[in-house]
Amino acid sequence: MPLVSMNEFLPKAKANKFAVGQFNMNNLEFAQAITEAAIAEKSPFIFGVSEGAIKYMGLEYTVAIAKAAADKSGLPIALHLDHGSTFEVAMQCIRAGFSSVMFDGSHHSFEDNIRLTKEVVRAAHAMGVSVEGELGTIGGVEDDISVDAEHANLAKPEEAIRFYEETGVDALAIAVGTAHGMYSGEPNIHFDIIEEVASKIPVPVVLHGGSGVPDDAIRKSIQAGVGKINVNTENQVACTNAIREVLAKDAKVYDPRKYLTPARNAMVEVVREKIRLFGSNNQA
Ligand SMILES: [Zn+2]
């Protein structure tokens, strides 16, 4: 199956109250683990790729790996630019084969964010590519982007609704109290904001910073209207912990397959659990 836009599964997710996971791809082992888990759970999913990950893997390798996963699995898979910073980056990704892009204009003024997002939507939709927008700033650290809690502003529902109406995005990330990276304490998720926005726009709300959010809060946010949840940090932690364990046990290991295999297996378990928690199993 070719890579698909998020519109292949997000409308169904919103209507049937489940969420599709965006699992970030950082290398080949991440891609293999995510795909293996989704095949086992018969789930659609989204490969999220940040600009930093594209720099690390190379644009051509990234697209080739995602296409191979879609061909091999037969699952509906979207290849999605995560936190795209400019129109140019979004277009480069689409030309290379991405089926979905996020344009993150949240650091611009509200009016500029609308104007810039609209430009991306117009070009992307002409090519059958879905677009995610962002409103309000999500705290934490992702790649080179760092937003401290003080500057992480919650989205205002009336602005979110106007943002949707003017831009026509296919999914809308709004700052509701989650943060990128791992939490030290428990996040205070504003379910009322999710509910108010989701009830007034036809597309799902996106939850960024899903790593470390308690399962109950995830379920509650999906009931409130979240249809896409981003997971990256938990896979990074599982991967690195597995590698650390192998290396700590045996200082003589030199074959990367000896530590990357357990790392990959650990990520398969994380992704399978998330898919079941999000309710997207058996939805492919
Ligand atoms: Zn994010």
Side-chain angles (χ1 to χ4, degrees), residues 51 81 83-92 102-104 120:
E51 288 180 24
L81 170 65
H83 291 280
S85 60
T86 62
F87 179 86
E88 285 73 17
V89 169
M91 294 307 116
Q92 281 158 12
M102 174 181 188
F103 177 73
D104 179 356
V120 174

Side-chain angles (χ1 to χ4, degrees), residues 82-83 142 180 208 230:
D82 193 18
H83 291 280
E142 191 167 44
H180 291 124
H208 281 239
N230 295 2

Side-chain angles (χ1 to χ4, degrees), residues 238-250 259 262:
C239 172
T240 306
N241 282 349
I243 292 171
R244 232 179 234 132
E245 201 180 306
V246 173
L247 298 183
K249 254 189 234 155
D250 184 355
Y259 54 84

